Amino acid sequence: AEEVGGGDKEVVREYFNSTGFERWRKIYGETEEVNRVQKDIRLGHAKTVENAMLMLKDEGSLVGVTVCDAGCGTGSLSIPLAKEGAIVSASDISAAMVAEAEMKAKEQLPSGNLPRFEVNDLESLSGKYDTVVCLDVLIHYPQNKADGMIAHLASLAEKRVILSFAPKTFYYDILKRIGELFPGPSKATRAYLHAEADVERALRKVGWKIRKRGLTTTQFYFSRLIEAVPISTT
Ligand code: SAM
């Protein structure tokens, strides 16, 4: 995807409203049959959600805590957050994703504490939240775009930003494994890996620093999880 018209963002939006929606809805679901690689990614992603929930609960109860889940997908994190009593604002660039997340939330949560759902790209979000979370979204953007996204997410957060991304250290590993699996041209969507030092620098530029780190790896899934806080509070 070259910079034509809207660039990466329009391509990503289109993908997650069509084939990407179907693919990820299945992977993020629990019951539908998926292939071996997808099953592995399902497992890895579930671990990232679990680790993010542990990080989120580490500072105490989530009751009444305002959380912005930017790029919420099918609600994998928003729903458990609401279950813990957090006041969740869930948004995604894809209307299909938001509709799916909202449907699942209504199935699984009491009507009293449903997340507030919104179709919006994270660059356009506004407001202030105790915590801003953005899981496995940066993979769709090159580092030069990711810098601005990270800065914007930090500007929305009062206390914490929790991000996950595919770490660049695993680049050759991923290529090798994907290569073994799909000899010939890959049909995967474009994925961007990020060096942890680049993410750290983007945060530092806006006055934030990394306080905690986690890593989830399975055979085909790699995700670095970080929690950042304003430098002034430490
Ligand atoms: N965060 C969710 C999770 O971990 O379950 C979903 C992860 S999924 C791999 C990536 C999601 O990011 C998709 O739902 C996609 O529509 C959304 N997305 C991509 N670019 C976005 C942007 N610029 N703003 C908001 N959402 C975006």
Side-chain angles (χ1 to χ4, degrees):
E2 284 305 307
E3 272 296 316
V4 179
D8 291 305
K9 199 152 92 177
E10 286 316 312
V11 174
V12 169
R13 189 200 315 273
E14 162 64 23
Y15 171 72
F16 280 105
N17 272 317
S18 55
T19 49
F21 170 67
E22 281 310 321
R23 177 170 194 265
W24 290 99
R25 184 188 58 75
K26 268 207 210 158
I27 292 176
Y28 291 160
E30 274 143 31
T31 49
E32 273 180 86
E33 273 300 315
V34 287
N35 68 36
R36 187 168 76 83
V37 178
Q38 293 173 333
K39 198 174 267 176
D40 179 84
I41 295 171
R42 177 186 279 175
L43 192 86
H45 175 259
K47 280 195 199 167
T48 290
V49 169
E50 199 181 305
N51 290 335
M53 283 303 293
L54 288 175
M55 252 184 195
L56 280 152
K57 290 195 283 189
D58 223 23
E59 302 296 307
S61 163
L62 291 172
V63 175
V65 173
T66 54
V67 183
C68 166
D69 183 10
C72 66
T74 58
S76 306
L77 184 75
S78 286
I79 294 169
L81 274 173
K83 276 189 187 149
E84 292 289 327
I87 299 162
V88 183
S89 299
S91 57
D92 198 284
I93 198 170
S94 155
M97 284 290 186
V98 173
E100 178 77 10
E102 193 160 16
M103 189 199 76
K104 286 183 127 183
K106 283 179 177 155
E107 268 172 22
Q108 296 177 35
L109 295 165
S111 57
N113 194 28
L114 285 175
R116 184 172 59 83
F117 288 101
E118 184 188 1
V119 180
N120 210 346
D121 55 280
L122 65 87
E123 299 90 330
S124 313
L125 293 175
S126 59
K128 283 281 184 191
Y129 307 87
D130 293 320
T131 301
V132 174
V133 192
C134 186
L135 296 188
D136 293 3
V137 176
L138 295 179
I139 188 162
H140 306 297
Y141 298 92
Q143 188 64 43
N144 66 340
K145 292 262 171 63
D147 276 13
M149 295 166 86
I150 290 169
H152 186 63
L153 293 172
S155 79
L156 304 172
E158 218 92 68
K159 294 176 184 152
R160 298 195 283 179
V161 171
I162 293 178
L163 292 174
S164 74
F165 56 93
K168 219 169 203 165
T169 32
F170 290 95
Y171 183 54
Y172 293 105
D173 230 21
I174 288 173
L175 277 191
K176 199 171 140 282
R177 289 174 202 211
I178 301 274
E180 278 165 10
L181 210 76
F182 308 104
S186 163
K187 291 206 189 81
T189 42
R190 186 157 176 186
Y192 298 93
L193 301 129
H194 301 281
E196 195 169 333
D198 291 336
V199 172
E200 196 152 17
R201 185 159 11 82
L203 284 162
R204 238 170 223 290
K205 254 198 322 213
V206 292
W208 288 65
K209 62 170 239 180
I210 297 178
R211 177 168 72 176
K212 285 179 195 157
R213 293 161 216 263
L215 180 68
T216 304
T217 70
T218 60
Q219 208 177 352
F220 298 102
Y221 176 94
F222 303 85
S223 190
R224 166 64 84 195
L225 182 69
I226 56 131
E227 179 188 87
V229 292
I231 291 170
S232 55
T233 65
T234 54

